[in-house]
Amino acid sequence: MTQAQPSLEFIPPAYNPLVWQAAKRILPLWLGYNHDIVDVKIDNSTELIRLYEEFQQGKTRFMLAFRHPAVTDPPCIAQLFWNQLPQIAKQQDVKLKSPVHLHFIYDRGIPLWAGDKVGWIISKLGSTPIRRGALDRVGLRSIRDLFVNGDFPMAAAPEGATNGHNEVVSPIEPGIAQFGFWCQEDLIKVGREEAVAIAPLGIRYFYKTAPWQYLEQLLSNLEVDSGFKQTPAETMGLTNGITLSPSQEADLYGRMYALAEYLLSLMEEFYSKFYQQKISTSEGELSSRLPALLDAALKVAEQSFAVKPNGNISDRCRRVEQAAWNRIYREDLDKLTELAPAVRGLADLVASEAELRLWHMRLVETFVSVTGHYVAEKYTVERLADTVLLLWKMVAKLKGESNIKPPYLGKKWVQLTAMPSLQIADYWEQYQNNRRQAVSDMTQDLQQSLEQSILE
């Protein structure tokens, strides 16, 4: 973004049944063609069917709280609800009225990088946006209204953003629990007696065939593109779908770890040399060095926007993003086209500088959940792929690429796991006495439920 833009307006949810019908038909093909996802499976479907039936009967309002490892999570959940859950319900002698759908809560930034067409489709599917880095009163009012009066249940990702890990749940935000309590309050105010529930949903991706050969090739490409090696390494002779020997496992992991350490050293030097960030380079394990690097990168962005480094990494990222948006999407300038050329030039300069500083925050955002021992503690092809793809994402950023399709690693299937719902009624008395503690307790219970949902 090199030019100042008009202020970011709220995109009202405007469900259109014709758009939903078209999306419902296209979705399975789109998942397979664009994202190599060939199957979506659900464990404990009875829980979701019961909740949805009670919703349609006017007995329950609920919000689906789903894990968020990848950008394909909402489409996979839509595939389940639009095309599969009605058929599964029918097999269980439950008749769900069409359409079986959800009001998704999405980050207002998605249409900025995905495009206006995607923003239009999301709106016409009845989804509602929220700006995470600011007090978005309009967005919050829309969510509260849909939770109480919407034609469909709600759906949101309590982690707030994708983390690129199949088997790591990021610290979840308290907003989901608060929405539940607000919904209960709003129902009581108008004399309605529906129960309110939060429905945790786990999600994991698995490869149909273990892509060992593809992963080795991708690693080889990354080694060269990053400057770690001058020429591609000699092939290890791995074959997709063939279990690795212990020595092959060790060699492949060693190459990945060595590349990660090289990239870490490269970025430590970059931030020390060009941004005067004090980082103890090349000392200690990757797991201890990475947080120091992320902190330094985030400070570069924070200092440029005069944002104080308060809270956890995710909180800091959101505040930096909002500060950048304030400089790009100008609420203080009514008509950009009518500005004097010199004034417009200054506005464009501020916007382009803000976009450059956002690069540092995006880098941090990519690695916010990386621990340094994710693969070592449990060596699976999915965990290795998660990590290599994060390294690919980093190298792509360093190369100046953006919004590019991830490299092909083979066909995947998705496992969704519905966990027992959390009932607001079970926390209501506590909420009446101590609202903050009730929200905290329910958030912790939701965290534990989501973590349980991705265990073997």
Side-chain angles (χ1 to χ4, degrees):
M1 192 69 66
T2 59
Q3 294 182 317
Q5 303 294 315
S7 62
L8 279 178
E9 300 297 331
F10 175 74
I11 304 174
Y15 174 73
N16 184 313
L18 295 179
V19 174
W20 177 80
Q21 286 283 358
K24 178 176 181 288
R25 293 189 179 95
I26 293 170
L27 183 58
L29 298 175
W30 181 82
L31 282 173
Y33 181 77
N34 274 33
H35 297 285
D36 308 311
I37 295 171
V38 296
D39 195 12
V40 176
K41 300 180 180 180
I42 176 66
D43 186 34
N44 195 20
S45 61
T46 304
E47 177 72 12
L48 292 182
I49 292 169
R50 178 188 64 80
L51 279 172
Y52 210 98
E53 182 183 29
E54 290 179 356
F55 177 89
Q56 292 190 334
Q57 292 171 346
K59 297 177 181 179
T60 299
R61 309 293 298 187
F62 77 91
M63 178 179 288
L64 191 75
F66 59 89
R67 271 238 53 224
H68 203 16
V71 295
T72 50
D73 304 333
C76 289
I77 293 167
Q79 166 65 6
L80 171 68
F81 276 79
W82 297 354
N83 293 312
Q84 295 175 214
L85 205 62
Q87 297 301 318
I88 299 172
K90 188 176 181 180
Q91 295 168 7
Q92 298 179 13
D93 294 324
V94 177
K95 176 67 173 176
L96 297 180
K97 292 176 287 187
S98 182
V100 177
H101 186 39
L102 298 161
H103 290 294
F104 281 90
I105 302 171
Y106 67 97
D107 176 17
R108 179 60 180 84
I110 289 177
L112 303 182
W113 58 262
D116 291 339
K117 290 182 180 178
V118 172
W120 182 87
I121 293 172
I122 293 174
S123 170
K124 295 305 178 183
L125 290 174
S127 300
T128 190
I130 191 73
R131 292 173 67 165
R132 295 176 296 166
L135 180 57
D136 185 357
R137 290 186 173 89
V138 177
L140 291 173
R141 280 199 298 270
S142 177
I143 293 169
R144 287 186 72 160
D145 178 63
L146 285 174
F147 206 165
V148 174
N149 301 308
D151 293 330
F152 313 108
M154 306 295 290
E159 291 166 279
T162 60
N163 72 5
H165 290 69
N166 259 308
E167 297 181 55
V168 172
V169 181
S170 300
I172 66 173
E173 301 173 355
I176 301 299
Q178 186 61 71
F179 289 144
F181 288 119
W182 280 342
C183 181
Q184 188 71 77
E185 283 182 328
D186 294 342
L187 289 170
I188 291 172
K189 285 178 183 177
V190 294
R192 288 164 55 182
E193 298 182 352
E194 293 104 309
V196 181
I198 304 297
L201 184 74
I203 182 166
R204 291 175 65 186
Y205 295 83
F206 296 90
Y207 291 96
K208 298 284 283 188
T209 302
W212 299 116
Q213 182 180 350
Y214 294 149
L215 282 171
E216 182 195 358
Q217 182 60 54
L218 178 55
L219 262 178
S220 184
N221 294 341
L222 293 176
E223 288 167 342
V224 174
D225 285 351
S226 66
F228 182 47
K229 292 184 179 179
Q230 298 303 310
T231 57
E234 184 177 344
T235 179
M236 296 170 61
L238 305 184
T239 303
N240 293 334
I242 302 299
T243 303
L244 303 189
S245 67
S247 62
Q248 288 175 325
E249 281 190 359
D251 289 347
L252 193 60
Y253 177 77
R255 285 179 62 183
M256 182 204 69
Y257 198 89
L259 175 61
E261 285 198 307
Y262 165 79
L263 288 170
L264 185 57
S265 297
L266 182 70
M267 299 310 294
E268 286 171 338
E269 181 182 1
F270 171 73
Y271 281 106
S272 297
K273 182 177 181 179
F274 296 105
Y275 292 95
Q276 298 76 51
Q277 295 296 315
K278 295 181 180 179
I279 309 173
S280 55
T281 59
S282 302
E283 295 178 6
E285 294 291 328
L286 186 148
S287 59
S288 60
R289 291 167 58 195
L290 182 60
L293 174 65
L294 299 183
D295 180 66
L298 202 46
K299 281 180 179 176
V300 170
E302 288 170 335
Q303 289 165 1
S304 67
F305 296 127
V307 173
K308 293 182 179 179
N310 297 328
N312 60 35
I313 291 288
S314 295
D315 293 337
R316 292 167 65 187
C317 285
R318 297 287 69 76
R319 282 197 295 274
V320 166
E321 181 178 61
Q322 187 58 47
W325 284 2
N326 290 342
R327 288 161 172 77
I328 297 171
Y329 304 96
R330 299 293 294 273
E331 295 182 1
D332 59 327
L333 299 177
D334 293 331
K335 296 181 180 179
L336 291 171
T337 55
E338 296 180 7
L339 294 177
V343 177
R344 178 59 191 257
L346 287 174
D348 291 345
L349 177 62
V350 168
S352 61
E353 286 185 344
E355 184 70 23
L356 282 173
R357 296 302 183 179
L358 262 182
W359 184 93
H360 303 280
M361 188 278 287
R362 298 298 181 206
L363 181 71
V364 172
E365 197 174 42
T366 301
F367 292 91
V368 71
S369 293
V370 174
T371 62
H373 48 74
Y374 180 58
V375 180
E377 68 184 12
K378 183 182 177 184
Y379 197 119
T380 66
V381 69
E382 282 78 22
R383 288 195 177 208
L384 187 72
D386 287 346
T387 308
V388 173
L389 286 172
L390 286 174
L391 296 178
W392 165 82
K393 216 172 191 179
M394 180 180 188
V395 172
K397 287 182 185 295
L398 300 184
K399 291 162 60 178
E401 300 172 352
S402 62
N403 294 343
I404 54 176
K405 188 176 180 180
Y408 178 75
L409 294 180
K411 302 295 183 181
K412 293 173 286 188
W413 64 276
V414 184
Q415 177 67 60
L416 301 174
T417 303
M419 301 298 288
S421 59
L422 303 177
Q423 301 294 318
I424 294 297
D426 294 338
Y427 303 85
W428 188 244
E429 184 177 351
Q430 181 188 18
Y431 184 73
Q432 299 299 101
N433 298 320
N434 188 332
R435 295 191 171 203
R436 181 174 295 181
Q437 189 60 49
V439 170
S440 176
D441 288 352
M442 188 173 187
T443 299
Q444 184 58 40
D445 290 345
L446 180 56
Q447 177 94 35
Q448 292 175 358
S449 183
L450 288 174
E451 289 171 353
Q452 187 68 29
S453 74
I454 57 175
L455 297 178
E456 292 287 0

